[in-house]
């Protein structure tokens, strides 16, 4: 079943065209890594999918709902993690989740909050103010916030930004757990190594549209790096360092 | 089975209001800034003007509303900046609720903060200016005036917060729009302080009421579009 469908998506900011007639289909349960250089339009695409930005042209369907006129239904089915935690520093971890639980009309909110805080390993720190958390802890809580209402689709915008190695590993562990529950995930990244570790499909976004797409099983060993370089073309590929891929 | 249900307008509004009050209770950043600023303005006016007792009474209304509106601007800026700086505004916009409820929650919270500042200011003001401001009529004017100010202010602060120059942009956008509410509030407060007959004060009260209804309605209608890119 197709859970995300994007047709002929165009986004302009004044004279600058960020997305040019982009098409994308994501099946239920897929973990798609959206790769591309800085400025390729990855965040713009994710913001449009999340209903935070309106497309100039084109249509988006998520879980069968058209984003243009059924945005509230779409939002009910989405969880979003960005490089900002979307959390209030002056509220505790528990209070932040309680606030979002109220906005999402969560039934049995207290049970679910306990489940989520346990899953992200912050139950013991539930009463601490978020501003006392490290960046890694905040990002784990951000994941908790995003999955609190058990969304069908999870959109992750560079979730590893600013995290140290240990925090990245914990985040990856958490994302694998989410993915194994059959949730559909779209993650933007320019970190090939992390993407290779997590995703089941790789789409390369460059020049405002998807240049290439490949499944994990079709790319063995070094093939992802080669695939990525080929998708970017000779001009952009020169900037891709082999060090980003083990 | 989905573990979520539809959230009513008022549930969402109260959730946002609760969040703002709880966060402010912890940090006290916004209220303390507004209060310190308000006290300084009262103090400076008191010594700068060095007025006769009778003149002080007639100028009190103007000084009171200048203080309230300037302190209110600080609060409005801060209230929306907190949402923007940590990306929380996106968190609110991602929620499957009527976006007008987000506006209502933020505006209610700002109104509560402004009323708290007014409740502390009025007795102090009376002390400095030798004029009793704790009158039912003055309280009514403060309620109506601050509602209109906050209704427009929350809307314009949501717009200004998107800009790099938000701190200077908000007063530039806000003050021209709130001239009617400030003028009406000053006239009505002055009327009550000078114990004018109600017939002379009523037009100003009517203006405040009409302003509140119109601008609150407009704010509800356009808030969603203002937040769109």
């Amino acid at each position: 079943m197709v859970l995300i469908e994007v047709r002929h998506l165009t986004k302009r900011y004044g004279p600058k065209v960020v997305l040019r007639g982009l098409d994308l289909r994501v099946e239920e349960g897929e973990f798609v890594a959206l790769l591309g250089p800085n400025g390729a339009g990855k965040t713009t695409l994710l913001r449009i999918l999340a209903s935070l930005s309106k497309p100039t042209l084109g249509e988006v369907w998520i879980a069968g709902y058209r984003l243009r006129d059924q945005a509230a239904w779409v939002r009910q089915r989405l969880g979003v993690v960005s490089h900002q935690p979307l959390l209030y520093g002056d509220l505790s971890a528990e209070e932040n989740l309680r606030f979002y639980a109220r906005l999402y009309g969560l039934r049995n909110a207290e049970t679910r909050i306990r489940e989520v805080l346990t899953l992200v390993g912050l139950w013991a720190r539930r009463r601490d103010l978020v501003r006392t958390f490290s960046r890694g802890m905040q990002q784990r809580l951000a994941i908790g916030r995003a999955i609190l209402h058990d969304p069908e689709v999870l959109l992750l915008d560079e979730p590893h930004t600013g995290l140290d190695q240990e925090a990245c590993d914990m985040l990856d562990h958490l994302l694998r757990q989410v993915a194994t529950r059959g949730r559909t995930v779209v993650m933007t990244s320019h970190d090939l190594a992390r993407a290779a570790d997590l995703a089941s499909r790789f789409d390369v976004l460059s020049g405002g549209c998807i240049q290439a797409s490949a499944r994990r099983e079709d790319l063995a060993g070094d093939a992802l790096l080669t695939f990525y370089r080929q998708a970017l073309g000779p001009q952009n590929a020169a900037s891709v360092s082999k060090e980003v891929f083990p | 089975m989905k573990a979520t249900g539809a959230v009513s307008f008022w549930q969402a509004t109260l959730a946002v209001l609760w969040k703002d009050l709880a966060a402010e209770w912890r940090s006290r950043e916004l209220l303390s800034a507004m209060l310190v600023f308000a006290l300084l303005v009262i103090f400076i006016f008191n010594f700068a003007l060095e007025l006769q007792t009778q003149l002080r009474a007639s100028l009190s209304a103007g000084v009171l509303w200048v203080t309230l509106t300037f302190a209110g601007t600080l609060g409005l800026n801060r209230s929306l900046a907190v949402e923007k700086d940590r990306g929380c505004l996106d968190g609110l916009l991602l929620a499957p609720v009527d976006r007008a409820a987000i506006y209502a929650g933020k505006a209610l919270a700002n109104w509560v903060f402004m009323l708290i500042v007014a409740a502390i200011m009025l007795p102090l003001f009376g002390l400095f200016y030798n004029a009793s401001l704790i009158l039912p009529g003055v309280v009514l004017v403060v309620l109506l005036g601050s509602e209109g100010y906050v209704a427009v202010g929350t809307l314009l602060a949501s717009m200004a917060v998107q800009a790099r120059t938000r701190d200077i942009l908000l007063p530039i956008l806000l003050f021209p729009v709130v001239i009617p509410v400030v003028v009406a509030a000053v006239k009505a407060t002055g009327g009550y302080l000078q114990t004018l007959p109600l017939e002379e004060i009523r037009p100003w009260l009517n203006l405040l009421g009409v302003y509140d209804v119109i601008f609150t309605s407009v704010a509800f209608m356009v808030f969603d579009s203002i937040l769109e890119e």
Side-chain angles (χ1 to χ4, degrees):
Chain A
M1 180 191 167
V2 177
L3 212 61
I4 301 174
E5 182 158 17
V6 178
R7 284 189 206 159
H8 316 307
L9 192 70
T10 297
K11 179 70 182 179
R12 287 196 193 97
Y13 290 103
K16 192 183 177 195
V17 184
V18 180
L19 301 174
R20 298 167 192 272
L22 181 143
D23 292 306
L24 176 73
R25 282 163 70 94
V26 180
E27 300 280 338
E28 188 175 2
E30 273 190 309
F31 193 132
V32 177
L34 210 52
L35 308 170
N38 290 334
K42 304 186 294 291
T43 297
T44 302
L45 174 59
L46 240 62
R47 286 185 68 81
I48 290 172
L49 295 181
S51 79
L52 290 171
S53 177
K54 280 193 172 166
T56 311
L57 290 169
E59 291 289 354
V60 176
W61 282 266
I62 293 178
Y65 295 97
R66 192 161 73 161
L67 192 60
R68 194 210 310 227
D69 41 22
Q70 294 170 303
W73 290 100
V74 170
R75 284 187 223 124
Q76 187 82 52
R77 284 153 182 81
L78 285 181
V80 177
V81 177
S82 71
H83 27 85
Q84 285 190 307
L86 318 190
L87 297 165
Y88 295 93
D90 290 319
L91 297 183
S92 68
E94 198 174 34
E95 286 168 336
N96 266 286
L97 294 191
R98 196 170 289 136
F99 168 59
Y100 282 106
R102 289 175 76 181
L103 286 184
Y104 283 86
L106 217 66
R107 299 187 198 107
N108 304 319
E110 293 306 315
T111 314
R112 180 63 183 154
I113 288 168
R114 188 189 177 110
E115 274 175 19
V116 165
L117 283 174
T118 308
L119 180 72
V120 299
L122 292 171
W123 177 249
R125 300 285 307 268
R126 67 189 178 281
R127 296 210 171 97
D128 292 353
L129 297 186
V130 167
R131 68 174 135 88
T132 65
F133 285 8
S134 68
R135 171 91 178 99
M137 287 163 75
Q138 289 194 19
Q139 197 64 335
R140 273 152 57 200
L141 186 59
I143 301 248
R145 176 195 49 73
I147 61 170
L148 184 67
H149 57 294
D150 197 16
E152 290 159 59
V153 178
L154 202 55
L155 303 175
L156 312 169
D157 187 13
E158 310 271 6
H160 299 92
T161 305
L163 299 183
D164 60 24
Q165 187 61 40
E166 192 188 354
C168 281
D169 292 344
M170 285 185 87
L171 186 64
D172 288 353
H173 175 67
L174 208 56
L175 291 176
R176 269 186 221 104
Q177 279 186 294
V178 172
T180 52
R181 291 175 184 204
R183 296 291 170 245
T184 305
V185 183
V186 178
M187 179 181 81
T188 68
S189 181
H190 50 244
D191 184 339
L192 288 190
R194 295 252 164 234
D197 218 22
L198 292 164
S200 61
R201 197 181 105 189
F202 309 95
D203 285 8
V204 180
L205 180 60
S206 180
C209 50
I210 305 285
Q211 299 290 348
S213 182
R215 300 203 164 275
R216 183 190 186 87
E217 54 269 26
D218 300 331
L219 299 171
D222 238 8
L224 177 58
L225 182 62
T226 312
F227 159 77
Y228 184 53
R229 279 181 164 159
Q230 282 172 352
L232 289 182
Q235 204 173 1
N236 289 318
S239 62
V240 181
S241 161
K242 186 151 183 158
E243 284 135 38
V244 298
F245 193 73
Chain B
M1 192 186 83
K2 290 299 289 181
T4 54
V7 181
S8 75
F9 177 88
W10 285 110
Q11 282 173 317
T13 300
L14 291 175
V16 176
L17 174 64
W18 168 84
K19 181 269 297 172
D20 272 9
L21 296 182
E24 182 54 26
W25 178 253
R26 293 275 159 66
S27 69
R28 293 187 179 89
E29 279 178 11
L30 195 144
L31 269 176
S32 55
M34 287 170 80
L35 274 171
V36 168
F37 180 81
L39 289 174
L40 284 173
V41 173
I42 294 173
F43 194 73
I44 289 165
F45 268 114
N46 184 48
F47 289 101
L49 295 176
E50 286 190 7
L51 298 170
Q52 301 293 322
T53 313
Q54 281 181 329
L55 268 176
R56 279 189 182 190
S58 61
L59 279 178
S60 297
V63 177
L64 171 74
W65 279 99
V66 166
T67 311
L68 264 181
T69 48
F70 282 14
T73 311
L74 280 185
L76 289 168
N77 246 334
R78 183 78 198 133
S79 156
L80 271 297
V82 165
E83 302 288 352
K84 186 69 180 171
D85 290 346
R86 296 179 63 89
C88 295
L89 195 57
D90 282 351
L92 290 178
L93 298 179
L94 283 167
V97 296
D98 184 350
R99 284 177 174 172
I102 296 168
Y103 165 78
K106 295 295 299 178
L108 274 174
N110 289 332
W111 196 26
V112 169
F113 298 143
M114 207 157 163
L115 290 178
I116 291 173
V117 171
I120 295 170
M121 262 180 62
L122 287 181
L124 285 172
F125 210 87
L127 206 70
F128 274 101
Y129 288 80
N130 198 23
S132 174
L133 280 108
I134 309 181
L135 303 167
V138 174
V139 172
L140 174 70
V141 176
V142 167
L143 284 171
L144 288 173
S146 56
E147 198 284 332
Y149 181 80
V150 158
V152 179
T154 306
L155 181 74
L156 295 179
S158 319
M159 195 193 289
V161 80
Q162 319 279 351
R164 254 185 321 120
T165 53
R166 64 188 176 206
D167 292 332
I168 52 168
L169 191 59
L170 179 62
I172 291 169
L173 291 174
L174 180 59
F175 289 144
V177 187
V178 294
I179 285 173
V181 85
V182 174
V183 170
V186 169
K187 294 288 185 188
T189 308
Y192 279 113
L193 292 179
Q194 292 161 39
T195 58
L196 295 179
L198 186 61
E199 288 71 42
E200 287 188 39
I201 302 171
R202 189 175 290 137
W204 299 113
L205 291 178
N206 289 343
L207 177 59
L208 282 175
V210 169
Y211 185 98
D212 288 1
V213 170
I214 291 174
F215 278 89
T216 306
S217 310
V218 169
F220 271 108
M221 286 188 277
V222 302
F223 184 71
D224 195 6
S225 336
I226 275 183
L227 292 175
E228 295 288 347
E229 282 176 8

